[in-house]
Amino acid sequence: MYYHIVQSPIGELLLAGDENALRLVHFQSGPRPLQPAKEWEPGERPFREVMRQLKAYFNGKLQQFDLPLAPEGTPFQMKVWRALRTIPYGETWSYGELARCIRKPTASRAVGAANGQNPIPVIIPCHRVIGANGALTGFGGGLPIKRKLLALEGGLPGEAQSALF
């Protein structure tokens, strides 16, 4: 497994994966920075395309990532993470909408837990999920980063938009 730390408009991001796929994006500037595992090797080369697409995304020139991803999770988590990738750029869904999308309409809390365990945020857009009342809810990188990502995409709900200014 390789890792590389990149600078972004939302702070340092730790990327981890192998030559075949991205496995992790971690907010180093968030509340819980991650120390790379001892067996991980530093290396920029496996992440060149990831960095190119992230740069385009943050510059407003990319709305959908096209990268090989290899998140690890339970079958339920994988189902939720696949559904997250269907939320259009610039839109937000509630946890209930996401639960209905995976045909588990009463599983909003379980969907929220799976959303919170997403190992590849930004690229698997868990930031696009908000509370049923439109409020921004927990996010691994912290709510200020969630606000920035939604503002970048033009998907901030009205209530949260005023919190930016």
Side-chain angles (χ1 to χ4, degrees):
M1 183 99 110
Y2 294 96
Y3 76 94
H4 183 65
I5 296 177
V6 297
Q7 299 298 321
S8 80
I10 57 171
E12 285 186 344
L13 301 174
L14 174 100
L15 310 175
D18 55 32
E19 289 103 354
N20 300 314
L22 181 65
R23 296 180 180 276
L24 177 75
V25 172
H26 190 82
F27 299 105
Q28 293 299 90
S29 305
R32 295 178 295 277
L34 181 69
Q35 195 65 12
K38 290 180 188 203
E39 65 271 11
W40 293 4
E41 295 180 39
E44 180 179 328
R45 202 181 79 195
F47 306 106
R48 286 188 182 145
E49 183 59 17
V50 176
M51 293 185 301
R52 186 191 72 74
Q53 288 190 35
L54 281 169
K55 182 178 181 182
Y57 169 79
F58 287 120
N59 287 331
K61 297 180 192 296
L62 180 79
Q63 294 186 357
Q64 183 149 353
F65 292 93
D66 183 18
L67 296 164
L69 305 177
E72 294 180 13
T74 67
F76 181 79
Q77 287 172 327
M78 299 294 278
K79 189 178 224 182
V80 170
W81 300 337
R82 277 191 301 276
L84 287 170
R85 296 189 78 193
T86 68
I87 302 174
Y89 180 94
E91 291 185 21
T92 56
W93 287 6
S94 70
Y95 293 99
E97 288 171 300
L98 189 55
R100 286 188 293 279
C101 176
I102 64 165
R103 295 190 165 98
K104 300 278 187 191
T106 60
S108 295
R109 287 180 192 254
V111 162
N115 193 56
Q117 295 297 313
N118 173 17
I120 310 176
V122 180
I123 294 167
I124 298 177
C126 55
H127 60 277
R128 295 179 188 158
V129 182
I130 60 173
N133 63 357
L136 299 188
T137 55
F139 185 65
L143 291 181
I145 290 176
K146 185 171 189 164
R147 276 188 195 92
K148 286 181 182 180
L149 292 169
L150 291 174
L152 169 73
E153 296 183 6
L156 264 174
E159 171 190 315
Q161 185 110 18
S162 62
L164 271 182
F165 307 105

